[in-house]
Amino acid sequence: MYFSKYVKIYTCCLALLGFCAGNSAAQQAGPALIPMPRSVKTDTGSFIFNAGTLIRTDVKEQHAVDYFTGQLFSRWKFNNKVATGTTGDGGLVITTNGAEQLPDEGYRLSVTPAGITLTGRNVGLFYGMQTLLQLFPEPANGAVAIPCVTIEDAPRFGYRGLMLDVSRHFFTVEQIKDLLDMMAYYKLNRFHWHLTDDQGWRLEIKSCPELTQVGAWRVPRIEFGGNTLPPQPGEKATDGGFYTQEQVKDIIRYAAERHIEILPEIDVPGHSMAAIAAYPELCVTRNKDIKVNPGSSFAKWFPNGSYEMYEDNSLNPTDERVYTFLDKVFGEVAALFPYLYIHIGGDECYKGFWEKDAAVQSFMKMHHIKNTHELQSYFILRLNKIIQSKHKKLIAWDEVAEGDVKDSITIMSRFGEKAAISQIRKGLDIVLAPGGNGLYFDYAQSTSDQEPSSHGGDAPAWKAYQYNPEYSSLSAKERKHIMGVEACIWTENIPDVSKLQYMMLPRMLALAETGWSDETAKAYPRFAGTALPLHLERFDKAGINYRVPTVFNYTDSTIATGSFRFEVAQPPVQGARIYYTLNNRPPGDYDHEYTAPVTITVPKGKTITLKTVVITPAGRRSIVTRTVLDNSHKSENK
Ligand code: ACM
């Protein structure tokens, strides 16, 4: 789905990103919290926090307080004393007293000039600490002034997820931990780990060692977009990697300390080329020449979304050895991962090799299976029994909800409203991850050709922000089937952390608010105009890569006008400068700097092209926007 590159808007009231911002508005908007809490009441004054502020707590789980003091030390070099018990005055009190009535994951935070009180239980306390950390400004003279505020908070959805594909490109244990830290800071609580695909099997399975000895490695290629050379005869597979079970346990522990549960995905029966490269007997063609795919083309995709594969990447659903294999793999996965759900993929399974195979056809006849779609259902139901035998629940992509679903399965729903409603009306629970609503972070963040390589599409942060998964046609009862939301990061075009950060930020912050904040608490002007600039400033200082927002929502547009007021209330990154040209050149820091509103007059019969760029204190640049101010419109020139 591609949008027209040049969005033509014949109106003068095109929204500028920071239009509703401004310092006084920023103050009125309250603290720059993301995600926005359920209720924020600001007050005058502040509490002065420094290394001498005593922390008093009755919280039994010492590690929760340790996590908080660890953050204070690593970020502000504050080494505060912690006292057991809450008697006494002032300081910071972290307490479970009065938390019984709070909703799941909820907390209450009160900052007065006399002291701070954080009330909650377990994960609620953890999120209260994250909010408190977001209230900490940069220290001046060894102290921070925390503005007085009363916050009551709890999440909208229980499932607030982020999926990372580590098959197309591998990410190390440390890189995954950094990602988990970032998720926790923004109150995301489910890490969906896409561990296997055609381009690499990334999880050690002790009973099937070739899965990682062979399946984790592919021939090295620079580009990955389908035009690369397939593996050549005798070429060594040196590119890849995998996680040992010990490393996975370490990551699970790390995530659990941050109240993040990990949803592992083993993608079957399609997307299984890496497994087949290790064990060719798992597919109907038993082709021993199949290698882990290095990003070369192995399928033809048609405009209607159908596809034809030249290489077999589907498991054989009629072979008992496949179920023995799956029992071993999912047995180890179930033993390793504590989370109730296991994702089994189920997407984009090519059935052409099944259709051509005589043994498969006679199996179908014998079992009264009418077509290969029913055969995939047979596979999914068999696998569901395996998953249930491990005391786990199966979750999978949309395709497994096609047809007559009798078993209890859960859907990771990516096709949008119509599919989601149909899944819910079959009685299924779903997590919503629709790419069309901005939740595929491998899509480009605008339609501009200056965006780095992507899976196409157009998924600006505001789309992810404005997405409301509670579709209006659903009844209150039907809405209960919505577990939450998730964004997916497919990594065909994401070879490293720098690109990962660019594609993820700031969209992940929009996701955080879509998952956590009540619809009534969401307001894009507050998010983008006043909260986001401060969070992006923090990334800028911390050397974290991100996409610098532009000052226009539409990066290419035409406005029919003879006079245009170019006005930006606040740069999209705190401290950034905005430069522009009116002569069609891409602007740089030697061009006009925007310092105050500018009225651009366009002579009759002419056009003027306004180009803008945002340059941050760290030197990061936005893409260049192009706004054609058009006074040549025929109706106006008569
Ligand atoms: C998917 O986008 N193939 C899940």
Side-chain angles (χ1 to χ4, degrees):
M1 189 170 35
Y2 288 87
F3 288 81
S4 152
K5 215 170 117 34
Y6 295 97
V7 182
K8 289 203 178 245
I9 299 177
Y10 286 98
T11 164
C12 280
C13 54
L14 184 79
L16 296 184
L17 187 67
F19 209 72
C20 302
N23 278 340
S24 63
Q27 275 144 19
Q28 280 162 20
L33 296 169
I34 296 177
M36 180 66 176
R38 195 162 274 184
S39 153
V40 177
K41 292 198 177 78
T42 53
D43 210 339
T44 51
S46 56
F47 176 81
I48 305 299
F49 195 104
N50 59 31
T53 303
L54 183 64
I55 300 173
R56 288 174 292 123
T57 184
D58 55 19
V59 174
K60 302 270 185 317
E61 301 93 351
Q62 186 57 37
H63 66 89
V65 180
D66 288 349
Y67 177 84
F68 180 69
T69 52
Q71 293 286 314
L72 286 180
F73 187 73
S74 69
R75 305 249 294 272
W76 289 275
K77 297 287 170 268
F78 289 166
N79 203 356
N80 298 74
K81 278 214 183 75
V82 180
T84 305
T86 55
T87 46
D89 285 330
L92 166 61
V93 173
I94 302 175
T95 182
T96 56
N97 193 12
E100 305 77 26
Q101 304 305 319
L102 291 175
D104 282 353
E105 304 184 80
Y107 65 91
R108 195 181 305 121
L109 178 65
S110 149
V111 181
T112 70
I116 303 176
T117 305
L118 170 60
T119 308
R121 351 174 264 278
N122 303 320
V123 59
L125 275 178
F126 180 78
Y127 288 136
M129 289 173 189
Q130 298 296 350
T131 298
L132 183 52
L133 289 169
Q134 286 199 12
L135 291 174
F136 270 64
E138 290 295 311
N141 303 322
V144 294
I146 303 172
C148 291
V149 69
T150 305
I151 294 173
E152 300 263 355
D153 202 7
R156 179 182 183 188
F157 295 113
Y159 189 113
R160 304 176 299 278
L162 188 71
M163 189 215 81
L164 181 67
D165 163 12
V166 295
S167 173
R168 275 52 178 267
H169 282 99
F170 182 66
F171 292 85
T172 65
V173 170
E174 287 312 310
Q175 291 166 342
I176 299 291
K177 286 182 176 176
D178 288 345
L179 181 62
L180 293 168
D181 280 334
M182 180 82 83
M183 287 175 65
Y185 190 67
Y186 290 107
K187 301 186 176 77
L188 297 175
N189 66 349
R190 300 285 183 269
F191 174 51
H192 171 180
W193 207 357
H194 185 79
L195 285 161
T196 74
D197 215 301
D198 301 311
Q199 292 81 5
W201 182 286
R202 306 291 177 212
L203 175 66
E204 179 189 27
I205 300 294
K206 293 187 191 225
S207 57
C208 308
E210 281 96 332
L211 281 174
T212 45
Q213 284 165 7
V214 175
W217 304 97
R218 60 176 183 244
V219 298
R221 293 289 180 269
I222 297 167
E223 269 297 326
F224 200 81
N227 294 327
T228 55
L229 196 66
Q232 299 298 291
E235 193 181 4
K236 287 227 168 9
T238 54
D239 201 4
F242 66 94
Y243 310 99
T244 66
Q245 293 199 1
E246 283 311 305
Q247 288 174 320
V248 169
K249 284 180 198 161
D250 179 35
I251 288 176
I252 290 169
R253 217 168 17 240
Y254 193 88
E257 283 166 12
R258 286 150 185 76
H259 297 277
I260 295 171
E261 301 216 59
I262 300 186
L263 170 61
E265 180 180 354
I266 305 292
D267 199 349
V268 289
H271 285 272
S272 290
M273 200 179 290
I276 289 168
Y279 298 106
E281 66 273 20
L282 293 175
C283 68
V284 298
T285 56
R286 300 196 167 92
N287 183 350
K288 290 192 170 58
D289 294 332
I290 290 175
K291 300 273 188 286
V292 180
N293 179 269
S296 52
S297 167
F298 62 92
K300 239 191 272 179
W301 290 82
F302 302 106
N304 67 359
S306 64
Y307 41 87
E308 181 187 332
M309 309 233 165
Y310 333 120
E311 274 180 48
D312 196 352
N313 71 342
S314 306
L315 303 184
N316 180 353
T318 68
D319 189 338
E320 281 309 307
R321 285 177 301 180
V322 168
Y323 298 103
T324 306
F325 166 79
L326 293 172
D327 191 74
K328 285 195 270 188
V329 169
F330 284 100
E332 292 192 36
V333 170
L336 201 50
F337 290 92
Y339 189 39
L340 176 63
Y341 288 88
I342 294 179
H343 201 305
I344 61 91
D347 58 319
E348 299 169 341
C349 174
Y350 181 62
K351 301 164 185 82
F353 294 101
W354 300 352
E355 276 154 15
K356 284 185 229 138
D357 188 86
V360 170
Q361 294 305 313
S362 68
F363 178 95
M364 287 168 63
K365 225 177 244 152
M366 203 161 71
H367 290 81
H368 309 290
I369 296 171
K370 287 200 282 296
N371 54 47
T372 48
H373 284 279
E374 280 192 14
L375 185 56
Q376 177 169 348
S377 293
Y378 167 85
F379 173 92
I380 298 295
L381 296 186
R382 289 280 310 261
L383 182 50
N384 196 22
K385 290 209 165 55
I386 293 175
I387 301 286
Q388 285 170 336
S389 76
K390 317 291 179 203
H391 310 291
K392 296 286 185 180
K393 281 182 91 167
L394 180 149
I395 182 168
W397 298 109
D398 304 71
E399 285 90 327
V400 302
E402 288 166 8
D404 195 10
V405 184
K406 294 186 191 73
D407 273 26
S408 98
I409 56 175
T410 304
I411 306 301
M412 186 71 73
S413 181
R414 71 189 192 280
F415 289 149
E417 177 167 359
K418 199 160 154 246
I421 289 173
S422 141
Q423 289 151 5
I424 286 176
R425 292 195 174 148
K426 284 178 181 170
L428 304 176
D429 287 342
I430 68 174
V431 174
L432 281 147
N437 294 94
L439 295 187
Y440 264 33
F441 292 173
D442 48 312
Y443 288 3
Q445 296 182 69
S446 79
T447 50
S448 166
D449 59 10
Q450 298 160 63
E451 295 292 349
S453 64
S454 69
H455 241 137
D458 176 22
W462 53 265
K463 243 188 215 178
Y465 189 88
Q466 284 168 354
Y467 176 51
N468 180 2
E470 293 187 277
Y471 299 112
S472 57
S473 59
L474 292 171
S475 67
K477 191 160 163 254
E478 286 171 333
R479 283 176 202 184
K480 292 212 164 63
H481 286 283
I482 299 174
M483 293 163 64
V485 290
E486 176 170 297
C488 299
I489 312 177
W490 302 98
T491 59
E492 286 92 337
N493 293 291
I494 303 181
D496 55 32
V497 163
S498 174
K499 180 79 179 280
L500 177 65
Q501 292 172 341
Y502 183 95
M503 298 305 272
M504 196 168 69
L505 302 172
R507 288 187 283 199
M508 192 184 100
L509 282 59
L511 166 75
E513 202 143 318
T514 292
W516 179 279
S517 306
D518 291 339
E519 203 56 24
T520 50
K522 284 168 73 181
Y524 191 69
R526 178 202 55 80
F527 172 78
T530 67
L532 198 54
L534 293 162
H535 287 253
L536 298 182
E537 179 192 33
R538 196 169 76 75
F539 297 151
D540 211 54
K541 285 187 172 150
I544 294 169
N545 199 13
Y546 63 95
R547 178 186 185 272
V548 177
T550 52
V551 292
F552 288 97
N553 260 349
Y554 293 98
T555 52
D556 272 300
S557 55
T558 298
I559 301 174
T561 184
S563 173
F564 181 70
R565 191 171 154 86
F566 174 37
E567 182 173 10
V568 185
Q570 174 166 321
V573 180
Q574 182 83 2
R577 292 166 191 262
I578 299 160
Y579 297 92
Y580 66 98
T581 59
L582 298 173
N583 59 8
N584 213 17
R585 288 180 53 260
D589 55 8
Y590 33 73
D591 282 300
H592 305 291
E593 183 180 349
Y594 175 92
T595 53
V598 183
T599 298
I600 301 163
T601 304
V602 188
K604 266 216 162 85
K606 303 279 186 197
T607 62
I608 288 180
T609 301
L610 166 65
K611 290 192 173 178
T612 72
V613 70
V614 179
I615 306 182
T616 75
R620 292 180 199 283
R621 287 167 184 249
S622 71
I623 63 166
V624 171
T625 67
R626 174 181 175 273
T627 307
V628 177
L629 309 174
D630 185 353
N631 199 13
S632 67
H633 212 236
K634 282 198 182 72
S635 59
E636 285 179 312
N637 288 310
K638 267 181 194 157

